[in-house]
Amino acid sequence: MTAMRIKHTIRLPADLSVRLADYAARKKVPQALIVETALASFLSPDGPERLEAALARRLDRMTRQLERMERRVTISNESLAVFVRFWLTSTPPLPDAALAAAQSKGRERYDGFIEAVGRRLARGKTLDDEVRLDVGLGEQGQDAPDPKGNLVT
């Protein structure tokens, strides 16, 4: 047995009407069903709680993404700092006679470096992926046990 349905006539702003029609066409459902579902959700007593739970899930996901990004930036910064320190302490200054040739060779090597970075990025494998694998983290960046069974974070 179906519940009795009462007809209502409402007026919507033109832009909202267009958005409703577009959404109904994309989802292949009647506009009345969309309005009925939206109204039921809006008037539902647990609507705010569901919205808060959805926002909390989204914020948690964003927090995890930011934490991963912070970790990657820290790894990048530390890698660069270690390299710069090593380079500065192990590279002797060049005599003036060799400076022009060294600069030319440096430009050539830099171009090769840029090409190598481009190839790595095109391949989709990054230093971050390699570091996570080296320290025993899974592909998803999740904590994984080391060979002794301890969690690596």
Side-chain angles (χ1 to χ4, degrees):
M1 205 166 161
T2 65
M4 184 175 87
R5 299 180 77 76
I6 300 172
K7 181 178 179 176
H8 290 270
T9 303
I10 59 170
R11 295 185 189 279
L12 297 173
D15 64 325
L16 186 57
S17 180
V18 168
R19 289 173 44 202
L20 174 62
D22 289 344
Y23 185 81
R26 273 195 326 270
K27 297 296 182 177
K28 296 181 175 136
V29 295
Q31 292 181 23
L33 178 61
I34 296 169
V35 172
E36 181 181 338
T37 304
L39 191 56
S41 177
F42 183 78
L43 297 175
S44 170
D46 69 339
E49 289 83 13
R50 285 188 291 128
L51 179 59
E52 185 177 341
L55 287 173
R57 284 190 304 273
R58 180 174 281 172
L59 286 173
D60 287 344
R61 186 177 64 238
M62 290 171 66
T63 299
R64 287 190 305 273
Q65 289 171 336
L66 283 173
E67 287 169 350
R68 282 193 301 268
M69 187 181 307
E70 180 181 17
R71 184 177 186 322
R72 291 173 179 170
V73 168
T74 299
I75 289 170
S76 296
N77 288 345
E78 289 302 312
S79 298
L80 179 61
V82 168
F83 171 77
V84 168
R85 177 179 280 169
F86 174 78
W87 185 81
L88 290 173
T89 58
S90 64
T91 305
L94 293 172
D96 290 339
L99 195 56
Q103 287 174 340
S104 174
K105 188 63 171 174
R107 280 190 291 278
E108 180 183 318
R109 292 172 72 188
Y110 180 76
D111 290 343
F113 168 76
I114 294 299
E115 287 178 29
V117 169
R119 282 192 306 270
R120 283 179 63 96
L121 291 175
R123 208 171 52 223
K125 191 119 179 163
T126 63
L127 176 64
D128 183 60
D129 296 330
E130 290 178 14
V131 169
R132 278 189 282 136
L133 290 173
D134 287 347
V135 297
L137 295 178
E139 287 295 320
Q140 303 298 320
Q142 310 266 332
D143 291 343
D146 67 9
K148 295 180 183 174
N150 300 317
L151 280 182
V152 177
T153 57

